């Protein structure tokens, strides 16, 4: 055994015992953008035994300013983030078992990913997924750590089933406004601050030091020099449909799930087929190429431009249609090329 | 009326008398927020009937989805 974790073991709240616990734990990170990449790096370096990371997107140039696991080469090759993250994380710590999943997390996917997971880190970029995580985490009694970030502002809260209010207790409804990193920008230090809050709570949960948990809703604005920590325990609602006595997990029901999503105000629509069907990318590339369209391809996806719009097709049949916000137009283009 | 909102001294018109009016004043009425007045959380259902007073320390936390 090298002294790889010596400084962490010297930190008495973790110690040898805590380090051994970390090694036996499995964390699911939902999203491999800025929050996901940074969370994953901290947990991998710390020696968490298993990390599963799921993401639907691929690396673009605009990610490199803050999504710390990715390189120019990843952006050039349009590598799926989950794949690029896993590659980098394995270089950082080969002891950690990394399971990357290139997929759009829906209820079904989440049900499968969540098996034998000790903790879920939320690194999603939208509340549809967060509320799914919220309800499924309640159902399976798995703690999860919310994190959100825009501009120089961020916040985090740990949802501990049976103990804390859940995200539905706090929010009651899904936010309508869609201020996102793609419309309002975001700076790396704000990401790092949210991730510091998420990962310190993650360590406490994983080494089972419950007494040290923060238990407050923490928020900050690094540019406005404002920090606060609010006790929200009074907002836990007995009648909450996600965590209350007569719970129905509304965010897991089919009608509350999106099949198409306009991504983060960046002129992109995601199309998700109702049933996942693996696509033969080589075959599809030939078909589209035969129409005189230039197709670029890597082992995970192919992309091509048509009518000022760029389509990116993943192996699981999902498509990202860049250059439109009109779902109907995006769907029609999708159906034109994928039937 | 003088308030301390999110750590800043602010002066708001005296016509703004309730939490709901304050959220409207800051154009936050459509956002998902948590409001704390003098370290007490205000339940959402009480925004309309909860009065604010000169000198109150108010924290307004809003949820963001970016990640």
């Amino acid at each position: 055994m090298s002294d790889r974790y010596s400084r962490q073991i010297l930190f008495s709240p973790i110690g040898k015992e805590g380090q051994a616990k970390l090694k036996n734990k499995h964390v699911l990170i939902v999203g491999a953008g800025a929050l996901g990449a940074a969370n994953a790096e901290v947990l991998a370096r710390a020696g968490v035994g298993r990390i599963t990371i799921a993401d639907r997107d691929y690396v673009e140039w605009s990610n490199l300013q803050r999504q710390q696991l990715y390189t120019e080469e990843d952006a050039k090759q349009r590598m799926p983030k989950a794949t690029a993250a896993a590659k980098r994380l394995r270089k950082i710590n080969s002891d950690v078992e990394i399971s990357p999943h290139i997929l759009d997390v829906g209820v079904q996917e989440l049900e499968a990913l969540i098996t034998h997971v000790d903790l879920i880190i939320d690194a999603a970029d939208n509340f549809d997924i967060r509320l799914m995580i919220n309800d499924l985490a309640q159902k399976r009694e798995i703690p999860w750590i919310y994190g959100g970030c825009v501009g120089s502002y961020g916040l985090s809260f740990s949802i501990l089933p049976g103990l804390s209010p859940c995200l539905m207790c706090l929010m009651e409804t899904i936010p309508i406004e869609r201020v996102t990193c793609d419309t309002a920008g975001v700076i790396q230090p704000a990401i790092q601050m949210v991730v510091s809050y998420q990962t310190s709570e993650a360590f406490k949960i994983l080494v089972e030091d419950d007494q040290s948990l923060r238990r407050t809703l923490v928020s900050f604005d690094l540019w406005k020099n404002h920090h606060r920590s609010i006790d929200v325990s009074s907002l836990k609602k007995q009648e909450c449909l996600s965590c209350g006595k007569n719970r129905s997990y509304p965010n897991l029901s089919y009608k509350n799930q999106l099949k198409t999503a306009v991504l983060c105000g960046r002129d992109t629509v995601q199309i998700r087929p109702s049933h996942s069907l693996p696509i033969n990318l080589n075959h599809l590339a030939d078909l589209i190429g035969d129409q005189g369209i230039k197709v670029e391809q890597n082992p995970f996806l192919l992309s091509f431009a048509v009518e000022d719009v760029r389509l990116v097709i993943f192996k699981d049949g999902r498509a990202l249609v860049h250059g439109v916000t009109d779902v109907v137009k995006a769907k029609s283009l999708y159906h034109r090329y994928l039937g | 009326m003088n308030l301390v909102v999110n750590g800043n001294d602010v002066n708001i018109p005296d016509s703004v008398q309730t939490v709901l009016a304050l959220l409207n004043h800051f154009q936050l009425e459509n956002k998902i927020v948590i409001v704390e007045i003098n370290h007490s959380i205000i339940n959402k259902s009480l925004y309309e009937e909860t009065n604010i007073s000169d000198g109150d320390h108010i924290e307004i936390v809003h949820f963001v989805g970016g990640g």
Side-chain angles (χ1 to χ4, degrees):
Chain A
M1 182 71 183
S2 66
D3 61 355
R4 166 166 215 144
Y5 305 114
S6 62
R7 302 303 186 273
Q8 195 165 281
I9 289 169
L10 277 171
F11 178 69
S12 59
I14 294 181
K16 270 189 181 166
E17 204 182 320
Q19 192 63 46
K21 284 180 179 164
L22 289 179
K23 170 112 186 103
N24 287 320
K25 295 292 165 82
H26 180 191
V27 177
L28 167 65
I29 302 176
V30 181
L35 290 178
N39 267 294
E41 180 161 346
V42 172
L43 298 180
R45 285 188 189 277
V48 170
R50 278 182 73 191
I51 297 172
T52 297
I53 188 157
D55 192 278
R56 63 185 174 188
D57 210 350
Y58 60 89
V59 180
E60 294 183 278
W61 287 91
S62 66
N63 301 148
L64 300 183
Q65 154 258 3
R66 66 194 184 285
Q67 303 190 12
Q68 67 189 56
L69 294 174
Y70 311 129
T71 63
E72 293 185 356
E73 203 50 40
D74 295 325
K76 273 182 205 155
Q77 295 181 10
R78 297 194 181 105
M79 285 301 280
K81 288 182 181 176
T83 310
K87 189 176 164 197
R88 172 74 181 142
L89 292 168
R90 286 173 185 140
K91 277 189 189 162
I92 288 171
N93 191 345
S94 57
D95 289 345
V96 180
E97 190 185 331
I98 311 283
S99 312
H101 294 266
I102 308 165
L103 50 78
D104 181 35
V105 173
V107 172
Q108 239 181 326
E109 292 78 8
L110 202 54
E111 289 259 17
L113 291 171
I114 215 170
T115 312
H116 305 305
V117 158
D118 298 290
L119 171 69
I120 304 164
I121 300 267
D122 156 40
D125 62 0
N126 66 82
F127 281 104
D128 297 310
I129 296 182
R130 284 195 178 92
L131 290 176
M132 256 183 249
I133 297 174
N134 184 68
D135 284 17
L136 202 53
Q138 289 295 331
K139 194 173 168 186
R140 300 279 193 91
E141 298 186 334
I142 300 170
W144 72 281
I145 305 177
Y146 159 65
C149 198
V150 165
S152 53
Y153 176 81
L155 71 170
S156 182
F157 183 66
S158 306
I159 288 101
L160 310 168
L163 297 172
S164 73
C166 77
L167 196 62
M168 281 295 272
C169 295
L170 300 191
M171 300 203 330
E172 294 185 359
T173 51
I174 199 161
I176 308 161
E177 46 94 33
R178 301 268 167 156
V179 179
T180 72
C181 300
D182 299 283
T183 56
V186 61
I187 56 169
Q188 168 79 314
I191 297 285
Q192 297 296 341
M193 183 71 91
V194 171
V195 171
S196 294
Y197 280 118
Q198 287 184 296
T199 49
S200 354
E201 292 305 283
F203 284 0
K204 295 174 197 171
I205 290 171
L206 296 172
V207 306
E208 299 160 24
D209 183 4
D210 296 350
Q211 288 201 321
S212 300
L213 287 168
R214 195 188 63 246
R215 295 179 193 272
T216 57
L217 172 67
V218 68
S219 66
F220 61 84
D221 190 317
L222 293 175
W223 214 262
K224 294 180 181 163
N225 311 309
H226 188 56
H227 293 255
R228 65 206 146 177
S229 179
I230 292 182
D231 179 356
V232 290
S233 51
S234 66
L235 293 176
K236 185 166 173 60
K237 294 180 179 63
Q238 292 291 330
E239 70 277 18
C240 175
L241 293 176
S242 297
C243 75
K245 279 192 175 134
N246 298 309
R247 48 179 82 181
S248 58
Y249 307 119
N251 300 301
L252 300 182
S253 75
Y254 183 81
K255 66 177 166 49
N256 288 339
Q257 290 173 45
L258 279 189
K259 292 298 165 211
T260 54
V262 180
L263 293 192
C264 292
R266 62 174 209 211
D267 286 350
T268 298
V269 174
Q270 174 181 255
I271 314 269
R272 189 175 179 226
S274 50
H275 50 288
S276 177
L277 66 173
I279 283 185
N280 183 331
L281 289 180
N282 291 329
H283 182 60
L284 184 63
D286 288 345
L287 282 177
I288 296 167
D290 286 348
Q291 300 175 42
I293 298 168
K294 186 172 176 277
V295 180
E296 291 176 52
Q297 195 181 343
N298 70 30
F300 311 98
L301 55 86
L302 63 79
S303 73
F304 59 95
V306 56
E307 294 179 12
D308 303 329
V309 167
R310 186 155 58 90
L311 277 88
V312 177
I313 319 278
F314 289 81
K315 261 202 297 205
D316 63 1
R318 261 182 326 114
L320 296 179
V321 187
H322 299 291
V324 289
T325 48
D326 177 0
V327 171
V328 178
K329 186 180 176 195
K331 271 187 176 170
S332 102
L333 282 167
Y334 178 86
H335 292 305
R336 188 186 307 172
Y337 294 101
L338 280 104
Chain B
M1 177 161 40
N2 292 308
L3 302 171
V4 180
V5 177
N6 292 350
N8 297 314
D9 293 320
V10 294
N11 185 271
I12 58 157
D14 287 344
S15 58
V16 177
Q17 293 185 346
T18 65
V19 171
L20 185 63
L22 185 71
L23 292 177
N24 283 326
H25 179 73
F26 288 123
Q27 298 178 331
L28 290 169
E29 68 275 17
N30 291 323
K31 294 201 178 180
I32 306 282
V33 297
I34 287 179
V35 179
E36 190 189 59
I37 301 181
N38 303 327
H39 298 291
S40 290
I41 300 253
I42 310 300
N43 208 298
K44 282 182 184 35
S45 58
L46 302 176
Y47 285 175
E48 205 169 347
E49 59 197 70
T50 304
N51 287 312
I52 50 176
S53 320
D54 195 60
D56 277 349
H57 280 67
I58 300 178
E59 293 287 342
I60 304 173
V61 178
H62 66 282
F63 286 88
V64 294

